[in-house]
Amino acid sequence: MEIIQLFKALADETRMRILNLLKNGELCVCDIEDVLDIQQSNASRHLNKLKVAGLIISAKKSQWVYYRVNDEIIIKYPFIIGIINDEFGKINICEDDIERLTQHKASGASCEKRMKRP
Amino acid sequence: MEIIQLFKALADETRMRILNLLKNGELCVCDIEDVLDIQQSNASRHLNKLKVAGLIISAKKSQWVYYRVNDEIIIKYPFIIGIINDEFGKINICEDDIERLTQHKASGASCEKRMKRP
DNA sequence: ATACTATATGATTATAAGTGAATATAATCA
DNA sequence: TGATTATATTCACTTATAATCATATAGTAT
């Protein structure tokens, strides 16, 4: 049952934090690793689970894979909007993650820029 | 994190079916057993999990324990209303369960009446 | 009191899920 | 080409979850 898989995907703190990071746009795996301070294999696995559940989609751009929220699942299950827009903002760790993401982007540490260093 | 526990509680077919049965009012454990055709201990455990997550509350009335949706959790997490009111109706097994519940009630098989049989 | 009913809980087993380390694959760079 | 980077996948391990059977508890009926 598809909706059960949705709930299973949401029922994990790391995946919820990932979905929270993606609420303002797409990110590549390494940015998520850095901001959440988790291992690469772990990030990849959780992203795959969110993807299989239909919550996010991916797009490969040269060597990076960008993940973003899947608009179609939100049309199909409108309650997900309520979670993303209303609930994540109430959770401390999610707010902190957004702050860390902002700093991470500002610091020039994201992967495209990392490549350009000496 | 409370919201993760909510998703975990929802991320199980049996518990989702129980919550669906409770959407129109309270039920005792034995009615849930009968309608879902699950074992008593199984029903009791799933009900406890929904209760610990805050989704339902219980009230003991003589020998029966009645469970019902917890209004407070719905106020706190409005997206839950969307799930109960909009999503369950789209799921075949949930619709079938409501039908079985109706028949069960009509058949006089619910526990209070059972006691009164010869 | 005894028997019965409804519910909860303990013990056990089976299955699923999460993690880290190492490896594989594919793209890019020098 | 060889080295490097980003991502995915496999393996081994550990923990969490679900189902079942048996038993405990509490209320009711006779």
Side-chain angles (χ1 to χ4, degrees):
Chain A
M1 212 177 300
E2 192 181 30
I3 198 169
I4 298 289
Q5 298 312 312
L6 275 185
F7 290 132
K8 285 192 183 187
L10 292 166
D12 177 271
E13 183 175 315
T14 304
R15 286 192 294 271
M16 221 188 47
R17 291 172 70 192
I18 290 175
L19 201 60
N20 174 58
L21 288 182
L22 296 178
K23 78 178 169 189
N24 296 318
E26 65 182 14
L27 292 174
C28 69
V29 184
C30 52
D31 286 337
I32 293 169
E33 287 171 54
D34 289 348
V35 175
L36 300 190
D37 193 27
I38 57 178
Q39 287 203 201
Q40 183 273 321
S41 61
N42 207 5
S44 179
R45 267 192 286 247
H46 282 304
L47 283 161
N48 186 252
K49 199 148 194 176
L50 287 167
K51 186 180 170 184
V52 169
L55 281 163
I56 62 177
I57 58 177
S58 66
K60 185 156 193 169
K61 299 184 190 174
S62 90
Q63 75 250 231
W64 299 286
V65 178
Y66 286 84
Y67 286 91
R68 65 170 185 276
V69 173
N70 179 12
D71 292 336
E72 292 179 24
I73 203 82
I74 286 177
I75 293 167
K76 187 162 183 187
Y77 298 98
F79 73 89
I80 295 172
I81 277 281
I83 295 167
I84 293 177
N85 288 345
D86 303 333
E87 301 303 333
F88 291 165
K90 301 178 192 165
I91 300 168
N92 287 332
I93 197 167
C94 287
E95 295 224 285
D96 295 350
D97 286 341
I98 295 293
E99 173 60 22
R100 256 193 305 279
L101 176 61
T102 305
Q103 287 172 11
H104 183 258
K105 283 181 171 175
S107 77
S110 63
C111 35
E112 290 95 334
K113 298 185 183 165
R114 206 186 287 157
M115 296 296 290
K116 290 170 192 154
R117 287 197 214 125
Chain B
M1 213 177 299
E2 192 181 30
I3 198 170
I4 297 290
Q5 296 313 310
L6 275 184
F7 290 133
K8 286 192 183 189
L10 291 166
D12 176 272
E13 183 175 316
T14 304
R15 286 193 292 273
M16 220 189 48
R17 292 172 69 194
I18 290 174
L19 201 60
N20 173 59
L21 287 180
L22 296 178
K23 79 177 167 189
N24 295 318
E26 66 181 14
L27 291 174
C28 69
V29 184
C30 52
D31 286 337
I32 292 169
E33 286 171 53
D34 290 348
V35 174
L36 299 190
D37 192 27
I38 57 178
Q39 286 199 219
Q40 183 273 320
S41 61
N42 206 4
S44 179
R45 271 182 232 277
H46 281 304
L47 283 161
N48 186 253
K49 200 146 194 179
L50 287 167
K51 186 180 169 182
V52 168
L55 282 163
I56 62 177
I57 57 176
S58 65
K60 185 156 193 170
K61 299 183 190 176
S62 91
Q63 75 249 230
W64 298 286
V65 177
Y66 286 83
Y67 286 90
R68 65 170 185 277
V69 173
N70 180 12
D71 292 335
E72 290 178 25
I73 203 83
I74 286 178
I75 293 167
K76 187 161 184 187
Y77 297 98
F79 73 88
I80 295 172
I81 276 282
I83 295 167
I84 293 177
N85 288 346
D86 303 332
E87 301 303 334
F88 291 165
K90 301 178 193 165
I91 300 168
N92 287 333
I93 197 166
C94 286
E95 294 224 286
D96 295 349
D97 286 342
I98 295 294
E99 173 61 21
R100 256 194 303 279
L101 175 61
T102 305
Q103 287 172 9
H104 183 259
K105 283 181 170 173
S107 75
S110 62
C111 35
E112 291 95 332
K113 298 185 182 166
R114 208 186 283 157
M115 296 295 291
K116 291 171 191 155
R117 287 197 217 126

